[in-house]
């Protein structure tokens, strides 16, 4: 297959460009259908004239249906996307990039989806879809999954669907709430995943940040204590990585702590820990929930984070603790490999 692709690149380079463009159209439709032509053109940075021509071709091939509510994929379109996925990774060089990134960051497996989520919001859904596929492949009935918060993890929850491997799985929040938008909090994301998977869930009804005295008191409460034990025993942990400054703002961090983070050149945050470029911990918040020390070799730890702007943060965190699986996008991967 790789030899055929290399020949095509030399003899018919335009054919591969057209193939990539049409694949991207089908990919977007799968994530956002039904969708109108104008929205699709704007989201893919294509002129309406070019898109009209491509959509008519896809319709003639019975890959796309055009209805009053917008465009949708046909069953044939869905099947074609599934069959082309690995081929397109070879065509675009993502397969080689995955191997290189896994080696550079010392992770067991790197999965890269096309696009840059800084530029296209729908790319987060592609990362979410890749994460859900990994979950279904690796989870077994009765397993427990601990899920962190954030916009990327919310996209993972949105892409969840029923499957025998996840129907009896329990989803639990990896941490308490940050006092931000409820839809991107760990509690909401874990419950959404459970409902879409037809699984079970438990909620952690405590703020993420507490005084030492309050925290020590709460963790002794029987219900909280039992749930924290369940969270720490999770078979799989799914989390994101944030930029230090952004996460500090979301936590409404005190001014003096913000200055300290800047002085120590913090660039990344995960699980309430802040890291500098070398992967050293420079600050830790007193949070209730999963701590870095709780992660063990018996767990599958999946990191889902993308966007070129997060490249430095992802790299810094991986220097401290490489994950079993890193799911990212092309924008972040290219930036990480350049560095």
């Amino acid at each position: 297959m790789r030899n055929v692709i290399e020949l095509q690149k030399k003899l018919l380079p335009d054919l591969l460009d057209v193939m990539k463009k049409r694949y991207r159209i089908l990919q977007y439709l799968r994530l956002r259908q039904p969708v109108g032509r104008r929205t699709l053109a704007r989201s893919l940075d294509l002129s309406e004239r070019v898109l009209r021509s491509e959509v008519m071709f896809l319709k003639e091939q019975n890959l796309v249906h055009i209805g009053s509510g917008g465009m949708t994929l046909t069953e044939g379109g869905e099947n074609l996307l599934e069959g082309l996925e690995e081929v397109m990774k070879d065509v675009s060089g993502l397969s080689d990039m995955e191997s290189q990134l896994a080696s550079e960051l010392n992770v067991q497996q790197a999965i890269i989806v096309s696009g840059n989520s800084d530029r296209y919001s729908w790319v987060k859904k592609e990362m979410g879809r890749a994460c859900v596929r990994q979950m279904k492949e690796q989870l077994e009935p009765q397993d427990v999954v601990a899920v962190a918060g954030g916009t990327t993890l919310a996209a993972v929850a949105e892409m969840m669907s029923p499957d025998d491997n996840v129907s009896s799985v329990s989803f639990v929040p990896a941490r308490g709430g940050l006092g931000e938008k409820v839809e991107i909090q760990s509690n909401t994301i874990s419950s959404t995943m459970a409902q879409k998977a037809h699984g079970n869930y438990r909620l952690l009804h405590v703020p993420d940040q507490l005084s030492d005295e309050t925290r020590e008191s709460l963790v002794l409460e029987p219900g909280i204590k039992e749930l924290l034990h369940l969270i720490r025993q999770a078979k799989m942990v799914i989390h994101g990585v944030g930029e230090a400054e952004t996460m500090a703002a979301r936590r409404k961090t005190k001014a003096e702590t913000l200055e300290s983070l800047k002085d120590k050149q913090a660039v990344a945050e995960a699980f309430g820990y802040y890291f500098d470029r070398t992967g050293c911990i420079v600050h830790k918040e007193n949070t209730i929930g999963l701590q870095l020390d709780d992660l063990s070799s018996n767990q599958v730890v999946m990191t889902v984070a993308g966007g070129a702007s997060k490249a430095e943060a992802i790299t810094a965190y991986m220097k401290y603790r490489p994950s079993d699986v890193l799911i990212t996008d092309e924008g972040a991967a290219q930036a990480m490999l350049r560095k």
Side-chain angles (χ1 to χ4, degrees):
M1 175 63 73
R2 187 174 289 268
N3 289 337
V4 172
I5 291 170
E6 290 303 319
L7 288 172
Q8 285 180 325
K9 285 181 179 178
K10 291 178 180 179
L11 295 175
L12 298 165
D14 293 345
L15 178 64
L16 290 179
D17 290 338
V18 172
M19 188 176 175
K20 289 177 186 177
K21 180 167 57 181
R22 290 173 180 169
Y23 180 81
R24 195 155 60 106
I25 292 170
L26 294 175
Q27 193 179 32
Y28 183 88
L29 280 176
R30 175 173 58 186
L31 297 171
R32 302 297 293 268
Q33 61 185 328
V35 64
R37 192 162 60 204
R38 184 171 297 177
T39 299
L40 183 57
R42 186 170 57 249
S43 299
L44 296 177
D45 285 344
L46 295 173
S47 70
E48 288 195 50
R49 182 183 61 82
V50 170
L51 182 66
R52 185 185 304 112
S53 172
E54 296 297 346
V55 166
M56 290 311 298
F57 172 83
L58 295 172
K59 183 178 182 295
E60 290 168 4
Q61 298 301 311
N62 197 31
L63 301 174
V64 170
H65 171 73
I66 303 176
S68 58
M71 292 175 283
T72 58
L73 285 185
T74 63
E75 184 178 353
E78 293 275 4
N79 293 336
L80 181 69
L81 269 179
E82 291 293 331
L84 275 178
E85 196 147 347
E86 290 307 314
V87 174
M88 292 308 297
K89 280 201 168 186
D90 280 337
V91 166
S92 59
L94 290 184
S95 294
D96 291 338
M97 197 183 296
E98 286 175 341
S99 299
Q100 188 179 353
L101 190 63
S103 176
E104 289 285 340
L105 298 183
N106 197 30
V107 300
Q108 291 183 22
Q109 182 181 12
I111 298 171
I112 303 171
V113 305
S114 60
N116 181 353
S117 53
D118 283 347
R119 189 173 181 185
Y120 305 112
S121 60
W122 58 270
V123 176
K124 287 187 178 181
K125 290 189 176 183
E126 270 298 300
M127 288 192 286
R129 203 175 63 82
C131 181
V132 167
R133 182 189 298 135
Q134 287 296 309
M135 293 170 71
K136 291 179 177 179
E137 288 179 2
Q138 300 196 40
L139 289 172
E140 297 177 357
Q142 311 303 321
D143 279 344
V144 175
V145 180
V147 185
T151 56
T152 306
L153 272 294
V156 176
E158 191 175 346
M159 300 309 295
M160 178 58 76
S161 60
D163 188 274
D164 289 343
N165 280 12
V166 293
S167 61
S168 60
V169 165
S170 292
F171 295 84
V172 295
R175 64 202 309 169
L178 287 181
E180 56 190 352
K181 293 180 179 178
V182 67
E183 59 268 24
I184 62 172
Q185 291 196 29
S186 186
N187 270 331
T188 304
I189 292 170
S190 57
S191 63
T192 300
M193 278 191 187
Q195 290 166 18
K196 291 201 167 195
H198 298 167
N200 310 301
Y201 66 92
R202 298 278 302 275
L203 300 179
L204 183 61
H205 295 292
V206 294
D208 193 50
Q209 290 177 284
L210 297 165
S211 66
D212 291 341
E213 183 180 351
T214 304
R215 183 178 179 277
E216 288 171 8
S217 174
L218 273 176
V219 296
L220 295 176
E221 290 290 327
I224 300 291
K225 187 175 182 180
E226 185 267 334
L227 181 53
L228 289 175
H229 176 75
L230 183 65
I231 292 170
R232 292 179 184 121
Q233 298 302 309
K235 162 73 176 297
M236 181 179 285
V237 177
I238 305 173
H239 74 100
V241 175
E243 295 171 272
E245 189 173 340
T246 301
M247 291 305 300
R250 281 173 57 183
R251 283 198 166 91
K252 298 179 175 59
T253 303
K254 295 178 181 177
E256 55 266 31
T257 305
L258 280 173
E259 285 302 315
S260 175
L261 289 172
K262 289 178 182 178
D263 290 342
K264 295 175 180 177
Q265 298 183 337
V267 297
E269 186 277 343
F271 298 103
Y273 294 75
Y274 289 82
F275 307 86
D276 64 15
R277 289 180 178 84
T278 66
C280 292
I281 296 173
V282 295
H283 178 70
K284 178 186 179 302
E285 296 285 355
N286 289 325
T287 61
I288 282 192
L290 204 61
Q291 308 292 310
L292 278 174
D293 292 342
D294 296 326
L295 302 180
S296 72
S297 58
N298 296 324
Q299 294 172 315
V300 177
V301 180
M302 294 175 59
T303 303
V304 190
S309 62
K310 280 192 178 180
E312 188 173 50
I314 298 168
T315 302
Y317 172 74
M318 291 300 166
K319 286 179 180 178
Y320 180 83
R321 191 195 186 283
S323 298
D324 299 299
V325 182
L326 168 63
I327 298 173
T328 190
D329 61 29
E330 191 175 3
Q334 289 174 341
M336 284 187 273
L337 291 173
R338 280 199 300 270
K339 290 180 182 299

